[in-house]
Amino acid sequence: MPESTETEFPTLLSPLRVGSIELRNRVVVTAHGTTTKFRDPDMSPGQYIEYVRRRAAGGVGLFIAQPVIPNPLVPITAETVDRHGRLVEVVRAEGAALLLQLAHLGLFGRTDAGIGMPPLWSFEEGQSLAGEASHRMTDEEIEAVVAAYRDTARFAAEVGFDGVEVHAGHGYLIQQSLTPATNSRDDRWGQDRTLFARSIVKQVREAIGPDGVLSFRTATDDLISPAAGGRGAEQIARDLGRILSGGGVDMVNTTVGDGNRSYTVSVPGYRYPEAPNISFLDRLRSLVDIDVPVVGVGGIVSPAVAEKLLTNNQCDLVAMTRAHIADPDLVAKVRSGQSKRVRPCVRANLCVDRRLAGTVDIGCMHNPEVLREREFAATPAPQQKRVIVVGSGPAGLKAAEIAARRGHRVEVFEAGSVVGGQLRLAEHTAAARLTAALDYLASELVEAGVTLHLETPVDASLLRDSGADSVILATGARSLTGGEALPGGETGRVLSMADALTSEISGDVLVYDGMGTSEAALVAETLHKRGCRVTFATSFEVVAPFVGPTQRWEIPGLLRNTLEAVHVSTTIESVDKDVVHLVRESGRDRAFDERAHYIVAVVPPVPNTGLATELTRLQIPHQLVGDANAPRTAWQAFTEGQLAGLAV
């Protein structure tokens, strides 16, 4: 029997009253732009509704739904009412509380993605960080926006939400109204910068009535000095105190920064320790008296850390949003004594990066079921089969897990001494947290009774004689070195990423990026920390063009601040002794040389398909997944593994 967790996580699992309602525990999933389909009347709302329902069914105390923009130019439609009403119905049936976030973006992003969209509304004539000029609102237009918040809040109350959240962070319109750099008006809205926020809180409170819950989301620090037009922690505290003094707010939710590039801090990735932003909240609470429950936010992914924050009285509720994207059953597992079986959020930030990049849906690096909860569900198979999986990288481990969950007898064969494939190399880099996805799957295979054979090469005859009903080939890909990787590589000084990370090299190193993803940057960073003098060269026009925005905002500066040199639009012409001949492809080709004892070639590997060719010849049915199918990202490998397990 699982051990009781009432004493292990007593505060996390305890109820808490917020305004007029009692939450069943202290766990919050904060609002996040999950999918644009829910807002599109031509698309089905079913995926988002099921996504939220699963997390409510998993035991979360409070879910804050993705925002509705209070827009005075666009009325709330009957379709919007119907969709949100259906959302309320399913969440209420699962016992969770549900708020609707209200967020006007203001001077944020661009409008040219939509034909005929009005210009960005702001408090000043300005320009968003995406480069688009804005429209300075008139007094009447500001009043219209306040009224739109009121009307949107009233709609939320009428369809049955427990309340609403007014978003005054992430650089959106309310935060812009409070910030000198984006509001230096000489009228009433600029003379008292809290007026806009206070007016919205007052109008929203009247709209939702005394029993509705009103959450106010604030930055704890905008990360902009007052000299640069920011507010700083002390002014933020004064503004928040003024807003709260008027009453009406039942909960304070928090964040850090002003959106845009500060998302690298507000949504901390794998480089950060767990819960790094709580120190900002500690300082805010030392500067202003907050007499309503406060939500701690930012990279809180484990139940143990969440419990510690609560017992230390650093916050009253914990936001575990990305943790619930990774595992919707987190609370249920904790409550049943299975906290060690929680699928960990490894903070790859695929979720936020996909939406920041403008894709329709979020995702999760190692939970392919996100927004596919029904179609990707591992339902019991009609007939038990014997399944052999060859290879234990992300695709192989995931395929084995799903096949086992469906009731099949599964064996995994791995030629190496450890599981994980190429992703295991991340443990040598700043992205070491990503390997927790591998460790989780390995432990789940033990729980499911899967047999794992390490250091066991597989050939076609073994598979022919095995009696397997299904074979899944996750045989990975072969890294290129020497002359295969680069011109002149026959000198023996051209290494693969694996060679560079697992051997001791020193001196001058050139890391060449022919992929545009994060791998080359991670290798360069690691070698620099080991004492090498590292130069970085990429064939692309910018550093790491194919990583998500939060990494793209972080990686180039990190490399330029630490490495010897960074060259873009550059290819290797040849390698000669201790010199690498480079060509810069900008305007007219220009040749130059860099000294390097070693060259690390981060180029696409070659799929290992020899076994697949043999099985095809022997007419043994099989599936090819992961890098053996086509070397791409870990997310795609985990997804292909899931599909392979479902197909058995």
Side-chain angles (χ1 to χ4, degrees), residues 35 88 128 186 208 323 367 438:
T35 175
V88 168
S128 74
D186 57 8
I208 64 177
N367 179 15
L438 304 171

Side-chain angles (χ1 to χ4, degrees), residues 251-254 281 285 290 292-296 314-318:
M251 182 178 84
V252 171
N253 193 3
T254 58
L281 176 56
R285 297 185 82 174
I290 304 175
V292 296
V294 178
V295 186
Q314 292 176 276
C315 53
D316 305 291
L317 302 110
V318 285

